[in-house]
Amino acid sequence: MLAIIFIVSIAKMPEILPNINKLHFIKTANIIDGKKVAQDIQKELKTQIETWIKQGNRRPCLIAILVGEDPASQTYIEKKMAASREVGIESKTIKLPVTSKESEIIDEIQKLNKDDSVDGILVQLPVPEHVSERHVCNAVDPLKDVDGFHTTNIGKLTLNSDTFIPATALAVLELIKRYNIPTFGKNIVVCGRSKNVGLPITLLLHSDAKNELPGGEATVTLCHRHTPPEELEFFAKHADIIISATGVVNLIKSHMVKRGACIIDVGITRITTKDGKTKLVGDVDFEGVSKVAEYITPVPGGVGPMTVAMLMSNTLKAAQHILKKNSA
Amino acid sequence: MLAIIFIVSIAKMPEILPNINKLHFIKTANIIDGKKVAQDIQKELKTQIETWIKQGNRRPCLIAILVGEDPASQTYIEKKMAASREVGIESKTIKLPVTSKESEIIDEIQKLNKDDSVDGILVQLPVPEHVSERHVCNAVDPLKDVDGFHTTNIGKLTLNSDTFIPATALAVLELIKRYNIPTFGKNIVVCGRSKNVGLPITLLLHSDAKNELPGGEATVTLCHRHTPPEELEFFAKHADIIISATGVVNLIKSHMVKRGACIIDVGITRITTKDGKTKLVGDVDFEGVSKVAEYITPVPGGVGPMTVAMLMSNTLKAAQHILKKNSA
């Protein structure tokens, strides 16, 4: 009854409408539209690449190596190839059989390292179990390492020297920036300590803004599989930003989130719903958390497309020899 | 009056005396005796080095480069040279004038890189302002980089691959281990995000115990100059271990510490007392915090001597070509 009166009152008082989204019982989180931002970035990159070519430069070129036939890897590779076409990056996938020896993969990489027409090289992870991911990542010329996984580039990231930042970490940072979400002196919880995602995000967000790679200046708590659930809840509840990259479905629930927080969901898991269909979900209980958070990324359509866009950005950077020039 | 009766009762009941240190009003923290542990480690190293030489190997050799005449740097270098003599490491300090060009310092390093009789090379930091610390650190052969400051070695540390761990971080880890202080799933606050101390400590303590470099498996919150004081207090109060490496005197006070916590004080600042004398103090209000914590490191005599001992350990590792063998 009260609610009805209230709604009627609102209808009669259009001047209070601009403030309506400050009323907690009506509000749901703003969606961080990664798909849209990724398209914006890809448009920007397309323009930059056309300018680059008009200046007399060769079209940037990205080569992906795919070992085996993992369906998820094939999907990721296709997305990367499609984005390359969209922005005007020449691209090709070299498909190697799952039985390839480590030395054969490394030989292939070394050919690409020497090939001056190739700017960016990536090996789609995971590689088959008999192959060392570390050996393969370190075989890529650090100046063509658009994934940012070479030990030297990871070292540079740790030291905040200019380098290729792993695309997922860069995607998270870019989303936070484009939505003007403050990080300076804020509390950030990162869930997941993987060397390719959680840890690079932590390295970027805690560090000094005055370095070659500007950092987020946030207080970062790095949680992982051995953080007890009640401790994760303790830290999450106090966080201004939660970034979850674990692959644990429903890890972040509404009671763990501070009102007004920003939630970045990097997780991506394929689940089977009651009707037998499959769908992609993240680490966050989107429906519940949306009622508490101020900003939230959806899955799919959040960090995923942004990761591909940031890989394109790294490839243009490789083509422009920005790091090569800096290293000279 | 009650207290007097209680004390009399204790005197009459010697069987309860073993439990007396569980009574909070009497208890003070156990001192983590870094000086003693450092001496233990140096004795162990001396034995290992004598064995190494008896096996027909050359005595390990450490060369330090000191640019300029900063008194604190001179003191540190003297301590490193004294420890080398004690454990049986051949050592020498190359003193270069404060006006040395970066290229002259790098030339000196490159000579040492090529010299097969030299196992470990370190450049005492800070270098003069006209010299790039990064260029100098990266000039050292990664396999002789006993400070662990080369970009590639920092990358390996980040990836938990076997490498030279910066001595201060190694010192903190070793003290925690030798006092059997658990880290698995515990909450650790690291204050200070320096690339040589706070960040390597964070990298070591948060990570997986199953890697080449076993990690602490702790939930780590990395606080720094832009963590608001009330937030530092929030995280510190909840921490099982606080590691402070900021150089801010009295940063950690008793009301910020959980009863039973372990406090590792990496700070070292020379202050002038009321009587005009100078003394070294850490980041922690030792007297106050001792009444709350379960374990605490003193300054001096805590992390400082351990850092020198761990540098000796890294030098023996360099001489034994452990990493070279692994890289082959």
Side-chain angles (χ1 to χ4, degrees):
Chain A
M1 179 64 182
L2 263 177
I4 293 167
I5 294 169
F6 186 63
I7 289 164
V8 172
S9 317
I10 286 173
K12 287 186 177 171
M13 296 190 291
E15 68 276 19
I16 74 162
L17 280 173
N19 292 320
I20 200 160
N21 71 355
K22 289 193 185 145
L23 300 170
H24 285 155
F25 54 89
I26 295 181
K27 184 170 180 184
T28 61
N30 300 298
I31 304 294
I32 295 183
D33 189 346
K35 203 171 164 183
K36 164 82 171 54
V37 177
Q39 280 165 354
D40 292 348
I41 289 173
Q42 289 182 190
K43 269 180 212 159
E44 293 162 23
L45 286 171
K46 189 176 180 169
T47 308
Q48 287 172 44
I49 289 168
E50 291 318 315
T51 306
W52 174 249
I53 290 167
K54 275 181 198 154
Q55 287 166 349
N57 298 294
R58 178 178 49 68
R59 193 169 286 281
C61 171
L62 171 68
I63 308 289
I65 296 177
L66 175 64
V67 187
E69 296 179 359
D70 176 66
S73 289
Q74 285 179 325
T75 306
Y76 290 133
I77 283 285
E78 278 158 26
K79 286 187 178 171
K80 291 169 188 177
M81 296 295 114
S84 297
R85 283 191 296 276
E86 199 184 311
V87 302
I89 288 176
E90 195 188 317
S91 65
K92 195 176 79 180
T93 302
I94 297 175
K95 293 184 182 176
L96 299 178
V98 70
T99 52
S100 304
K101 285 184 200 157
E102 185 178 294
S103 61
E104 290 168 337
I105 302 168
I106 290 178
D107 283 349
E108 201 64 54
I109 294 170
Q110 282 169 346
K111 266 187 249 165
L112 299 169
N113 285 343
K114 285 177 202 149
D115 185 344
D116 282 341
S117 71
V118 174
D119 298 302
I121 304 166
L122 72 87
V123 181
Q124 184 64 42
L125 300 181
V127 285
E129 272 192 16
H130 66 280
V131 177
S132 155
E133 181 180 305
R134 185 45 39 210
H135 291 170
V136 166
C137 289
N138 280 358
V140 177
D141 179 342
L143 296 172
K144 296 186 176 187
D145 171 36
V146 286
D147 264 343
F149 293 160
H150 190 288
T151 299
T152 301
N153 286 335
I154 295 278
K156 285 186 174 181
L157 173 63
T158 305
L159 294 166
N160 294 113
S161 305
D162 195 16
T163 186
F164 296 110
I165 302 170
T168 310
L170 203 51
V172 169
L173 186 70
E174 196 65 25
L175 283 177
I176 289 174
K177 271 191 197 165
R178 295 215 175 203
Y179 278 81
N180 294 315
I181 293 155
T183 59
F184 187 98
K186 297 294 180 183
N187 299 323
I188 298 185
V189 162
V190 176
C191 303
R193 60 182 171 179
S194 74
K195 304 301 182 195
N196 300 346
V197 183
L199 191 53
I201 290 171
T202 301
L203 291 170
L204 272 180
L205 287 173
H206 88 280
S207 62
D208 198 314
K210 290 177 200 150
N211 290 314
E212 285 176 29
L213 290 184
E217 304 270 20
T219 302
V220 180
T221 302
L222 183 48
C223 298
H224 50 73
R225 64 180 69 234
H226 298 308
T227 302
E230 67 277 15
E231 296 300 328
L232 174 60
E233 185 176 328
F234 173 87
F235 291 112
K237 262 182 179 164
H238 195 68
D240 303 300
I241 302 175
I242 299 174
I243 300 160
S244 190
T246 66
V248 179
V249 177
N250 274 332
L251 180 70
I252 307 296
K253 297 180 205 76
S254 60
H255 71 277
M256 299 162 67
V257 173
K258 183 168 81 173
R259 188 165 287 285
C262 165
I263 314 296
I264 310 278
D265 192 348
V266 189
I268 187 151
T269 308
R270 186 171 292 279
I271 60 163
T272 306
T273 55
K274 282 175 194 163
D275 58 5
K277 290 182 184 167
T278 66
K279 70 167 186 171
L280 293 175
V281 294
D283 295 353
V284 177
D285 166 21
F286 184 84
E287 203 187 321
V289 171
S290 294
K291 292 174 185 141
V292 187
E294 176 93 13
Y295 289 97
I296 190 166
T297 59
V299 176
V303 177
M306 276 297 290
T307 297
V308 177
M310 299 325 288
L311 175 69
M312 298 301 114
S313 170
N314 277 350
T315 305
L316 175 57
K317 186 172 177 170
Q320 293 174 329
H321 305 293
I322 292 172
L323 297 168
K324 206 174 280 184
K325 205 171 66 188
N326 286 350
S327 307
Chain B
M1 178 61 181
L2 262 177
I4 292 168
I5 292 169
F6 186 64
I7 288 164
V8 171
S9 316
I10 286 173
K12 286 185 179 171
M13 294 188 292
E15 67 276 16
I16 73 162
L17 280 173
N19 292 321
I20 201 160
N21 72 352
K22 288 194 186 144
L23 301 170
H24 285 152
F25 54 88
I26 295 181
K27 186 171 180 184
T28 60
N30 300 298
I31 304 295
I32 295 183
D33 189 346
K35 203 170 164 184
K36 164 79 171 55
V37 177
Q39 280 165 353
D40 292 348
I41 290 173
Q42 289 182 189
K43 269 180 210 159
E44 293 162 23
L45 286 171
K46 188 175 179 170
T47 307
Q48 288 173 43
I49 289 169
E50 290 318 314
T51 306
W52 176 249
I53 290 167
K54 275 180 197 154
Q55 288 166 347
N57 298 295
R58 179 178 50 66
R59 192 168 287 282
C61 171
L62 171 68
I63 308 289
I65 295 178
L66 175 63
V67 188
E69 297 180 357
D70 176 64
S73 289
Q74 284 179 325
T75 305
Y76 290 133
I77 284 285
E78 278 159 25
K79 285 186 179 173
K80 291 169 188 178
M81 296 295 115
S84 297
R85 283 191 295 275
E86 199 184 312
V87 301
I89 289 176
E90 198 187 313
S91 65
K92 196 174 81 181
T93 303
I94 297 174
K95 292 184 181 175
L96 298 178
V98 70
T99 52
S100 305
K101 285 184 200 156
E102 186 178 294
S103 61
E104 290 168 336
I105 302 168
I106 291 177
D107 283 349
E108 201 64 54
I109 294 168
Q110 282 169 346
K111 267 188 248 165
L112 299 169
N113 285 343
K114 285 177 202 150
D115 185 344
D116 283 340
S117 70
V118 174
D119 298 302
I121 304 167
L122 72 87
V123 181
Q124 183 65 42
L125 301 181
V127 286
E129 272 192 16
H130 66 279
V131 177
S132 155
E133 182 180 306
R134 185 44 40 212
H135 291 171
V136 166
C137 289
N138 280 358
V140 177
D141 179 341
L143 296 172
K144 296 187 176 186
D145 171 36
V146 287
D147 265 342
F149 292 161
H150 190 288
T151 300
T152 302
N153 286 335
I154 295 278
K156 285 186 174 181
L157 173 64
T158 305
L159 294 165
N160 294 112
S161 305
D162 195 17
T163 185
F164 296 110
I165 303 170
T168 311
L170 203 50
V172 169
L173 185 70
E174 195 66 23
L175 283 177
I176 289 173
K177 271 191 197 167
R178 295 215 175 204
Y179 278 81
N180 294 314
I181 293 155
T183 59
F184 187 98
K186 298 295 180 181
N187 299 323
I188 298 185
V189 162
V190 175
C191 305
R193 60 182 170 179
S194 74
K195 305 299 183 196
N196 301 345
V197 183
L199 190 54
I201 290 170
T202 302
L203 292 169
L204 272 180
L205 287 173
H206 88 280
S207 62
D208 198 313
K210 290 176 201 151
N211 290 314
E212 285 176 29
L213 290 184
E217 304 270 21
T219 302
V220 180
T221 302
L222 183 47
C223 298
H224 49 73
R225 64 181 69 235
H226 298 308
T227 302
E230 66 277 15
E231 296 300 330
L232 174 58
E233 186 175 328
F234 174 88
F235 291 112
K237 262 183 178 164
H238 195 67
D240 302 300
I241 302 175
I242 299 173
I243 301 160
S244 190
T246 66
V248 179
V249 176
N250 274 332
L251 180 71
I252 306 297
K253 298 180 204 76
S254 60
H255 71 278
M256 298 162 69
V257 173
K258 183 167 80 171
R259 188 164 287 285
C262 165
I263 313 297
I264 309 278
D265 192 348
V266 189
I268 186 152
T269 308
R270 186 170 291 278
I271 60 162
T272 306
T273 55
K274 283 175 194 162
D275 58 6
K277 291 183 182 164
T278 65
K279 70 167 185 171
L280 293 175
V281 294
D283 294 353
V284 177
D285 167 21
F286 184 84
E287 203 187 321
V289 171
S290 295
K291 292 174 184 140
V292 188
E294 175 92 12
Y295 289 97
I296 190 166
T297 60
V299 175
V303 176
M306 276 297 290
T307 298
V308 177
M310 299 327 287
L311 175 68
M312 298 301 112
S313 171
N314 276 350
T315 306
L316 175 58
K317 186 173 177 170
Q320 292 174 328
H321 305 295
I322 293 172
L323 297 168
K324 207 173 278 183
K325 205 171 65 187
N326 286 349
S327 308

